Amino acid sequence: MISENQSEDGSTLVTERRCVIDIDAPRLLKRIAGVDYLYFIQKNTLSRSERTLRIEVHNETFSNRVMVRECCSYTVHPENEDWTCFEQTASLDIKSFFGFESMAEKIAMKQYASSINKGKEIIEYYLRELEKEGVTYIPRWTPPVVSGTAGSWLQVQPLSTARPIPVNGAKDLSDMQYVLHLFWPVDKLDADYIRRYLGDLTPLQESCLIRLRQWLQETHKGKIPKDQHVLRFLRAGDFNLDKAREFLCQSLTWRKQHQVDFLLDTWERPQLLQDYYAAGWHQHDRDGRPLYILRLGQMDTKGLVRALGEEVLLKQVLSINEEGLRRCEDNTRVFGRPISCWTCLVDLEGLNMRHLWRPGIKTLLRIIEVVEANYPETLGRLLILRAPRVFPVLWTLVSPLIDENTRKKFLVYAGNDYQGPGGLVDYIDKEVIPDFLGGDCMCDISEGGMVPKSLYRTAEELESEENHLLTDSIYKSASIFKGAPYEMLIEITEASSVITWDFDVCKGDVIFNIYHSKRAPQPAKKDTLGAHGITSLGAVNAQMIDRSWVLGQDYSGVEKAFICREGESVQGSHITRWPGFYILQWRFHSSPACTASSLPRMDDVLASLQVSSHKCKIMFYTEVLASHDFRGSMTSLESCHSGFSQLSAATTSSHSSSISR
């Protein structure tokens, strides 16, 4: 014992010791170092008022060569005062050690790992010894009574006067017992209220809810959310109080800025949404959760974006979520148990590559981001039915923005797999299944359909919003001349990667095709073209396919060529079979004489530049989904309880793709 100091009121005790330890080190190393034992200094600080114990250790032997520092702290758990938090940290800094620095480091780490296990055993051993002596509770320390004060309280004997337990001269093990057994009444919610409206909560979860609610009452100006809504953010943050508080504050600010609290009372759905938005609420599932049905495959997502814009569709989704919260409250009252989330059923029959129109995908991603941030833990289950083979491409694009906990709630069924055991009837009563899914219940939901182009927004509206937000950011434009196709080169290093494309034909008719070559194409050089006397090359497209190449020998077609008419929008994908170089080609379409294998002559190029009618224009966007991302999405789906494995096999083994226009 080096020193022992206690504050006047007995609230703080500081003890300092010099200790010795026999290190489990090779004898040769001990002889070189000239020591058999190591000495270190230990400082214990017990604060009875703050209810903490801090143990700090550093080595005295070889301190000029090696510095070891360790700290152990015992504190009261911030959410449950019946629990003790234990934290242990250590650092090792070896400056020099007779050329055995690496060995000394390994020995130190081994010793430290061993001491961690021994420390736990020692604590448990002496706790059992205390219990044998009948010491299971020590009253909390209180300050000494000050004479002459009114209303004095009962004085409790300071812990330091209690009989110490001799453990190699230590006097503070009973102090450790004092820290490990702390009892303090905590504010509690009414048990009936929890059971009726919130569900099962552990003491820690209940404490987090109380503290976050109190913090909101003290600091937040405005409408305080209900306990059920606060609890959603806590669950989303795994009951990390700081994390939940940050996300909840951001969401409350967002709700105030956008007046979301008044959305259901003030927003009127446009008639176009009522006619073509194929979705709506329908009864409830077996657990009493409100059931929302979305017939995504029947919706013209491109037409809705073109006609309504992103903001209107976002408002529609927000109103759905607000309505879902209200229905959860209603069902809680009806069923007499907590219902905090809903079930969503998505029917994908009719889904095709048109749904992968990139502005529509971008709108969807933004909506997902807003919903994930402001409506956490509101989706109890997502049932995806009749998923076609194009679904994995869509899933790969949107899944990165979906929280992992939310993804675990997805159940995906391909074809008619949902009709068998483990299908839809496990989650929805048979009499509630809609008629279009083979049930007997009539479902009052719009059937969707194609939005007439006459309802699209005007060119001025599109230019001010769509062109700025969507087209300029992700689309490129290209001109196609008669005899001078536009070609784009994509290098694929890994088979089973997915090439996706999305283009609009703004002027003229074009023929679209995809070729594959094992060797890299060499575009024609400018000086080569210059030899033919062309003065301006700005309008000439660089040719990827060499004129000397033979179709079927030097390169091959991997997709069937098809004609795209003016005004059409085309989306598609291709799962690559081999690595190499893929060429996306758009050619001018004029007469049947123009075949997929024909190559332009320079005379044709010169002629086409002089005839404005022999010009097409497209706006296009391409993207390559890496094999590991695509297959990773498939693995994520297959890990769910679903019937998607058949679809996975069919999709990833196929190397052709259907193209919808």
Side-chain angles (χ1 to χ4, degrees):
M1 180 77 69
I2 298 176
S3 64
E4 184 176 34
N5 300 303
Q6 182 169 271
S7 60
E8 293 183 3
D9 61 357
S11 62
T12 305
L13 176 65
V14 180
T15 306
E16 195 168 3
R17 300 184 178 86
R18 175 178 287 110
C19 309
V20 62
I21 185 171
D22 183 9
I23 295 294
D24 182 18
R27 181 175 300 179
L28 176 62
L29 186 60
K30 289 184 178 181
R31 291 182 60 183
I32 293 175
V35 298
D36 289 323
Y37 302 95
L38 297 181
Y39 293 88
F40 61 93
I41 303 299
Q42 180 192 69
K43 180 182 178 181
N44 295 353
T45 304
L46 172 67
S47 174
R48 299 187 178 95
S49 58
E50 297 180 0
R51 305 162 75 191
T52 61
L53 173 62
R54 183 178 178 86
I55 304 174
E56 299 171 280
V57 177
H58 68 270
N59 63 303
E60 191 176 42
T61 307
F62 298 124
S63 59
N64 62 330
R65 296 178 177 274
V66 180
M67 179 56 66
V68 180
R69 297 186 181 276
E70 183 177 1
C71 179
C72 300
S73 64
Y74 297 82
T75 58
V76 182
H77 195 284
E79 277 93 26
N80 189 331
E81 299 194 4
D82 290 345
W83 296 350
T84 300
C85 289
F86 172 68
E87 183 177 1
Q88 183 174 11
T89 60
S91 64
L92 172 66
D93 183 13
I94 300 180
K95 301 175 183 177
S96 64
F97 200 76
F98 313 105
F100 291 89
E101 289 79 12
S102 179
M103 180 182 294
E105 181 180 1
K106 292 179 180 179
I107 293 174
M109 296 305 297
K110 179 181 178 182
Q111 189 75 26
Y112 180 64
S114 176
S115 67
I116 291 177
N117 295 329
K118 289 181 180 178
K120 181 175 181 293
E121 294 173 1
I122 291 172
I123 292 175
E124 293 177 344
Y125 171 79
Y126 283 107
L127 286 179
R128 288 192 295 268
E129 291 296 308
L130 287 168
E131 290 177 352
K132 290 179 182 178
E133 296 187 12
V135 181
T136 58
Y137 169 74
I138 297 177
R140 176 184 292 190
W141 177 87
T142 57
V145 177
V146 180
S147 60
T149 58
S152 61
W153 57 86
L154 178 66
Q155 181 179 1
V156 180
Q157 183 184 26
L159 189 61
S160 59
T161 62
R163 180 178 61 84
I165 301 174
V167 185
N168 296 330
K171 296 182 179 180
D172 65 348
L173 194 61
S174 57
D175 295 349
M176 184 182 297
Q177 170 71 4
Y178 164 79
V179 177
L180 292 174
H181 284 267
L182 294 166
F183 298 91
W184 182 254
V186 295
D187 186 17
K188 291 183 177 293
L189 295 172
D190 181 75
D192 290 337
Y193 170 75
I194 294 176
R195 178 186 57 79
R196 181 71 173 76
Y197 295 101
L198 303 180
D200 295 331
L201 296 178
T202 66
L204 172 62
Q205 294 170 347
E206 180 183 342
S207 175
C208 287
L209 176 59
I210 293 172
R211 293 180 62 187
L212 185 52
R213 184 178 65 177
Q214 290 176 342
W215 181 84
L216 286 171
Q217 292 171 346
E218 295 170 0
T219 62
H220 185 67
K221 296 180 180 180
K223 183 179 179 180
I224 302 297
K226 298 178 181 179
D227 288 344
Q228 293 89 335
H229 196 60
V230 176
L231 194 57
R232 290 186 181 97
F233 282 88
L234 285 168
R235 285 172 173 151
D238 199 22
F239 285 89
N240 182 310
L241 196 59
D242 292 335
K243 186 177 179 181
R245 180 165 47 205
E246 178 185 357
F247 291 156
L248 180 56
C249 287
Q250 292 175 355
S251 179
L252 292 176
T253 302
W254 170 83
R255 293 182 69 89
K256 186 175 181 180
Q257 289 175 343
H258 298 278
Q259 297 292 299
V260 179
D261 290 334
F262 309 102
L263 184 61
L264 290 181
D265 299 325
T266 59
W267 189 62
E268 295 183 5
R269 292 175 59 197
Q271 187 62 42
L272 191 148
L273 271 179
Q274 299 180 36
D275 295 338
Y276 295 98
Y277 195 85
W281 294 99
H282 175 75
Q283 306 286 342
H284 56 77
D285 68 3
R286 286 183 177 270
D287 297 322
R289 296 167 174 167
L291 176 63
Y292 188 79
I293 296 179
L294 174 64
R295 302 188 68 180
L296 183 60
Q298 303 300 313
M299 280 204 301
D300 179 13
T301 53
K302 178 179 179 179
L304 289 173
V305 175
R306 290 267 193 174
L308 296 171
E310 187 175 296
E311 293 303 319
V312 173
L313 291 176
L314 177 59
K315 272 192 174 182
Q316 166 70 0
V317 175
L318 295 183
S319 69
I320 292 170
N321 280 271
E322 290 296 308
E323 176 68 19
L325 295 178
R326 180 178 294 182
R327 286 175 176 264
C328 285
E329 294 180 11
D330 294 341
N331 285 19
T332 296
R333 289 189 291 268
V334 171
F335 292 96
R337 62 177 183 272
I339 295 175
S340 60
C341 53
W342 56 81
T343 293
C344 183
L345 188 154
V346 181
D347 179 22
L348 295 183
E349 185 183 44
L351 188 79
N352 54 46
M353 294 305 299
R354 182 181 175 86
H355 291 85
L356 297 185
W357 181 60
R358 284 314 187 276
I361 292 293
K362 188 174 180 181
T363 299
L364 176 61
L365 292 178
R366 184 197 170 194
I367 291 174
I368 290 175
E369 188 175 13
V370 172
V371 171
E372 284 279 298
N374 298 285
Y375 299 93
E377 295 297 316
T378 52
L379 180 66
R381 183 179 296 118
L382 181 67
L383 302 170
I384 300 178
L385 308 184
R386 302 197 280 194
R389 60 184 300 274
V390 72
F391 175 68
V393 179
L394 176 63
W395 176 251
T396 304
L397 294 173
V398 302
S399 61
L401 272 184
I402 302 175
D403 180 74
E404 181 62 30
N405 290 331
T406 303
R407 274 191 259 178
K408 294 177 181 178
K409 302 172 184 177
F410 284 36
L411 301 174
V412 187
Y413 298 91
N416 293 320
D417 292 342
Y418 70 91
Q419 296 179 346
L424 198 56
V425 292
D426 286 1
Y427 307 103
I428 302 175
D429 288 331
K430 190 174 182 180
E431 57 270 18
V432 176
I433 296 177
D435 53 343
F436 59 84
L437 291 175
D440 298 326
C441 186
M442 297 299 296
C443 188
D444 186 20
I445 292 178
S446 168
E447 294 184 358
M450 300 297 292
V451 177
K453 292 185 179 181
S454 59
L455 298 179
Y456 286 7
R457 287 169 296 165
T458 63
E460 292 76 12
E461 292 172 322
L462 289 174
E463 183 178 0
S464 62
E465 178 182 342
E466 183 178 288
N467 289 352
H468 174 68
L469 295 176
L470 304 174
T471 306
D472 289 348
S473 59
I474 61 177
Y475 279 77
K476 297 179 181 179
S477 60
S479 296
I480 304 163
F481 301 94
K482 185 176 182 180
Y486 183 85
E487 295 175 344
M488 179 178 180
L489 180 66
I490 298 176
E491 183 177 2
I492 299 296
T493 58
E494 184 181 11
S496 297
S497 298
V498 182
I499 301 174
T500 68
W501 58 84
D502 177 3
F503 64 89
D504 288 347
V505 183
C506 305
K507 180 182 179 181
D509 299 340
V510 299
I511 298 176
F512 179 68
N513 210 337
I514 302 181
Y515 300 101
H516 170 264
S517 174
K518 294 182 180 179
R519 53 177 173 160
Q522 299 295 327
K525 296 181 180 180
K526 289 186 178 182
D527 55 358
T528 304
L529 293 175
H532 294 83
I534 298 179
T535 57
S536 175
L537 299 176
V540 178
N541 298 323
Q543 302 294 288
M544 299 296 174
I545 301 177
D546 193 279
R547 269 191 270 184
S548 62
W549 283 11
V550 178
L551 183 63
Q553 180 177 330
D554 299 291
Y555 69 108
S556 59
V558 295
E559 287 284 349
K560 184 178 179 181
F562 60 91
I563 300 172
C564 310
R565 303 294 181 181
E566 182 175 324
E568 287 187 340
S569 178
V570 181
Q571 296 78 38
S573 68
H574 174 78
I575 302 176
T576 61
R577 181 178 299 182
W578 318 278
F581 299 89
Y582 288 79
I583 302 169
L584 276 60
Q585 183 191 78
W586 291 268
R587 291 189 291 111
F588 184 91
H589 174 65
S590 58
S591 65
C594 184
T595 62
S597 60
S598 63
L599 294 172
R601 296 182 305 169
M602 190 52 58
D603 294 340
D604 294 332
V605 176
L606 294 173
S608 67
L609 296 177
Q610 299 172 0
V611 183
S612 59
S613 61
H614 292 169
K615 176 182 176 181
C616 298
K617 186 175 181 180
I618 61 171
M619 291 173 49
F620 69 94
Y621 173 82
T622 63
E623 183 177 4
V624 177
L625 307 178
S627 175
H628 64 272
D629 291 335
F630 182 69
R631 293 186 178 276
S633 293
M634 297 306 306
T635 302
S636 175
L637 286 170
E638 292 170 21
S639 64
C640 302
H641 172 62
S642 70
F644 201 74
S645 57
Q646 297 176 9
L647 175 59
S648 170
T651 304
T652 56
S653 63
S654 174
H655 303 284
S656 62
S657 63
S658 58
I659 302 173
S660 299
R661 297 190 292 275

